[in-house]
Amino acid sequence: MSRLTVAIVGRPNVGKSTLFNRLIGRRQAIVDDTPGVTRDRREGDGRIADLTFRVIDTAGYEDANDDSLEARMRAQTEAAIAEADVVLMLIDAKAGVTPLDNFFGRWLRQAKDRVVLVANKSEGRDANAGYYDAYSLGLGEPIPISAEHGEGLADLYQAIREVLPEEDDTDDADDNGTASLELSEDGEHPEGLTVWTDADRPRVLRLTIVGRPNVGKSTLLNALIGQDRMLTGPEAGITRDAIEVEWTWRDKPVVLVDTAGLRRRARVTEKIERLSGGETRRAIQFAHVVVLVLDATSPLEKQDLTIARQVVEEGRALVIALNKWDLVEEKSAAVKAFRDRLEISLPQVRGLPWITISAERGRKLDDLLDASFEVYDTWNARVSTGKLNRWLQEKTEAHPPPLAKGRRVRLRYMTQVKTRPPTFAAFVSQPTELPEAYTRYLVNGLRDDFGLVGVPIRFMIRGGRNPYVKQE
């Protein structure tokens, strides 16, 4: 039986994203008093008590049918409505019913059978008038809730149950029982809330797409999945949230994450752009592989390098996509200039994979995904302790460490302490005396001899004796 899908719709600034966050149990969507913050539709795993469902957050519905951004946002909302089993139409009970609410309500009465009218922001007496006005929309009895404070969710639960046919009235709850409906202050998962993790699924690659504004990130995601899932257009900064899309490529599960463009922080003055930038940086932190999209007509600008270094510092695997390659005239010269700049500017990830693509034309996208899975495997690579110490002996014999205080610095033992990224610890007789140049020599040797190219390597120096050897 297919899973229940619930879409949250309404005019701008009625609290759709706040309700979305409440239903999924964490603050995932950007919320602000500014109308029109949400643009792309966002999906998540929602729950009210024993009722579980896929919930879709949508952009505020606008009466626009031209080529404007608002019209494209409206098309995304209409696609979510067509896909949903149940539609929650939100109004602002404090503001009352507006002409746009009336317009949207008339359209929904014709377009969808299962609609639940929700009067949000119903806390306090000043919401009573708007609540009773909602009856005029002809969508049945409004359900008063406060998404911000978590009030009225029991009534919303019952309203959703009542509009479902008997065969769709499913109970997908697990043996853990009812989940909490409250959010913690810091926005983390509250105790008792069941959420998906990578441990619960097959091995899933989290592929996050980042870059400067207007380099083609959303166009790339649409080209990969073969549908207009994300809003695109000539305007810079269309994407604001970090939007996750579950997808399968060659029977391999992938979570694609589209993000807002990152500009230099000094140029960011608006609050929404600061919030969007924070969402992008958080998406990088939780990524497995990050695809940095560059405009091939002006690649590796200062901001591109700043983003790349952020990815490396977070320890994520990195792939560069040179987009709009079809617009480059002198391709051989462009390749040479790009390769030289890359070797000089990002030596810490020597061998970094990069692919020339055209997202708009769908060119070389399979090559990009092949490179992403290859670097993902390298990012997860583990080298046995025996091989590492035989390698360490060969390296130190070929190029001994320097003298310090009249004695030779000795590297006694080495082991890999973790993967993702590959992290190594070496036990040294005089750890503070080992030069940084010698550490770079060892890291470069690890790359070359064990094939750890294109991923960050963390190398830690430890003092003291070998902890794995029994002391006398």
Side-chain angles (χ1 to χ4, degrees):
M1 184 177 295
S2 60
R3 193 177 182 196
L4 174 67
T5 299
V6 176
I8 305 173
V9 303
R11 63 177 176 83
N13 215 33
V14 294
K16 298 181 296 298
S17 294
T18 304
L19 179 58
F20 175 85
N21 288 343
R22 176 65 59 179
L23 293 177
I24 67 171
R26 62 188 184 278
R27 291 181 176 90
Q28 183 174 329
I30 295 177
V31 176
D32 192 74
D33 293 335
T34 306
V37 171
T38 301
R39 288 175 172 173
D40 292 286
R41 65 184 190 268
R42 173 195 287 275
E43 301 177 5
D45 296 325
R47 164 175 286 190
I48 307 177
D50 62 344
L51 181 64
T52 60
F53 45 85
R54 184 169 66 102
V55 58
I56 306 176
D57 184 23
T58 64
Y61 197 82
E62 301 275 8
D63 184 14
N65 291 289
D66 51 16
D67 294 329
S68 65
L69 176 60
E70 289 76 15
R72 281 175 271 151
M73 291 162 58
R74 169 176 169 162
Q76 289 281 324
T77 299
E78 291 175 352
I81 291 171
E83 183 180 349
D85 299 302
V86 178
V87 172
L88 306 182
M89 178 181 168
L90 265 66
I91 68 162
D92 184 339
K94 292 182 178 179
V97 175
T98 67
L100 187 55
D101 291 324
N102 280 312
F103 173 83
F104 195 19
R106 286 194 301 271
W107 185 83
L108 274 180
R109 288 200 303 270
Q110 300 172 356
K112 206 73 179 177
D113 294 331
R114 305 181 200 172
V115 179
V116 175
L117 180 60
V118 181
N120 191 29
K121 306 181 186 180
S122 290
E123 67 276 10
R125 296 181 180 179
D126 53 348
N128 289 339
Y131 169 77
Y132 290 113
D133 284 347
Y135 281 93
S136 65
L137 294 173
L139 294 172
E141 181 180 357
I143 308 301
I145 72 165
S146 172
E148 184 174 358
H149 299 97
E151 299 174 2
L153 294 183
D155 293 334
L156 181 59
Y157 165 91
Q158 190 60 38
I160 295 175
R161 286 286 196 188
E162 288 177 356
V163 300
L164 291 177
E166 185 174 350
E167 63 268 19
D168 285 348
D169 194 6
T170 57
D171 183 355
D172 294 330
D174 54 23
D175 294 334
N176 293 331
T178 301
S180 169
L181 297 176
E182 296 299 323
L183 284 172
S184 60
E185 290 297 323
D186 59 1
E188 298 297 325
H189 301 299
E191 184 177 354
L193 180 64
T194 301
V195 295
W196 282 107
T197 65
D198 279 357
D200 300 319
R201 305 175 187 258
R203 192 171 89 163
V204 180
L205 171 64
R206 289 187 63 86
L207 191 67
T208 298
I209 303 171
V210 303
R212 291 182 283 122
N214 221 29
V215 293
K217 299 182 296 299
S218 298
T219 303
L220 174 58
L221 188 145
N222 288 343
L224 289 173
I225 66 176
Q227 57 178 280
D228 292 332
R229 175 62 178 79
M230 305 298 300
L231 283 172
T232 60
E235 305 92 343
I238 291 178
T239 303
R240 285 175 168 171
D241 290 285
I243 306 295
E244 297 184 4
V245 178
E246 295 184 359
W247 182 54
T248 302
W249 180 72
R250 295 179 181 173
D251 297 325
K252 299 174 182 178
V254 181
V255 174
L256 296 171
V257 184
D258 188 23
T259 62
L262 287 174
R263 294 198 301 162
R264 292 173 56 188
R265 294 196 182 191
R267 295 182 178 179
V268 177
T269 57
E270 296 184 1
K271 178 183 178 183
I272 298 301
E273 189 173 359
R274 286 199 303 272
L275 293 173
S276 297
E279 285 292 303
T280 299
R281 295 180 185 93
R282 193 171 299 111
I284 292 173
Q285 292 173 355
F286 287 97
H288 297 154
V289 177
V290 175
V291 174
L292 173 58
V293 181
L294 308 183
D295 185 336
T297 60
S298 57
L300 281 185
E301 293 187 357
K302 184 176 180 181
Q303 179 62 7
D304 296 326
L305 293 170
T306 298
I307 298 171
R309 292 184 184 114
Q310 289 178 7
V311 174
V312 173
E313 288 170 3
E314 286 293 338
R316 307 301 98 182
L318 178 63
V319 177
I320 290 181
L322 275 170
N323 192 27
K324 308 180 185 179
W325 189 247
D326 51 312
L327 303 180
V328 176
E329 296 181 358
E330 298 293 334
K331 290 182 169 51
S332 297
V335 166
K336 184 181 185 305
F338 176 78
R339 185 184 289 116
D340 293 344
R341 180 77 188 278
L342 192 64
E343 290 178 358
I344 294 171
S345 301
L346 289 173
Q348 62 270 48
V349 279
R350 188 156 51 87
L352 177 70
W354 54 274
I355 311 294
T356 58
I357 68 168
S358 172
E360 187 171 353
R361 296 173 181 262
R363 292 178 179 172
K364 301 187 73 172
L365 301 187
D366 284 343
D367 292 347
L368 177 64
L369 290 166
D370 282 331
S372 298
F373 274 94
E374 287 175 9
V375 77
Y376 178 60
D377 290 337
T378 304
W379 190 60
N380 283 278
R382 181 175 291 278
V383 183
S384 70
T385 299
K387 286 183 178 180
L388 275 176
N389 283 282
R390 288 191 294 271
W391 172 86
L392 181 63
Q393 183 177 357
E394 293 174 359
K395 283 295 182 182
T396 53
E397 288 176 355
H399 183 55
L403 293 173
K405 300 177 182 178
R407 293 182 299 169
R408 180 76 63 188
V409 177
R410 295 178 56 198
L411 281 83
R412 295 193 173 101
Y413 179 79
M414 184 173 172
T415 187
Q416 184 173 356
V417 295
K418 67 183 290 291
T419 60
R420 313 177 84 177
T423 303
F424 302 89
F427 294 87
V428 183
S429 60
Q430 302 178 69
T432 58
E433 303 299 328
L434 190 68
E436 184 179 345
Y438 198 84
T439 301
R440 287 198 302 270
Y441 161 72
L442 294 176
V443 170
N444 289 334
L446 286 169
R447 289 193 191 281
D448 295 337
D449 298 334
F450 294 107
L452 301 178
V453 294
V455 297
I457 292 178
R458 290 177 176 167
F459 195 91
M460 300 181 294
I461 304 298
R462 296 286 184 262
R465 294 181 177 274
N466 183 348
Y468 294 92
V469 175
K470 293 183 179 179
Q471 307 299 321
E472 297 292 340

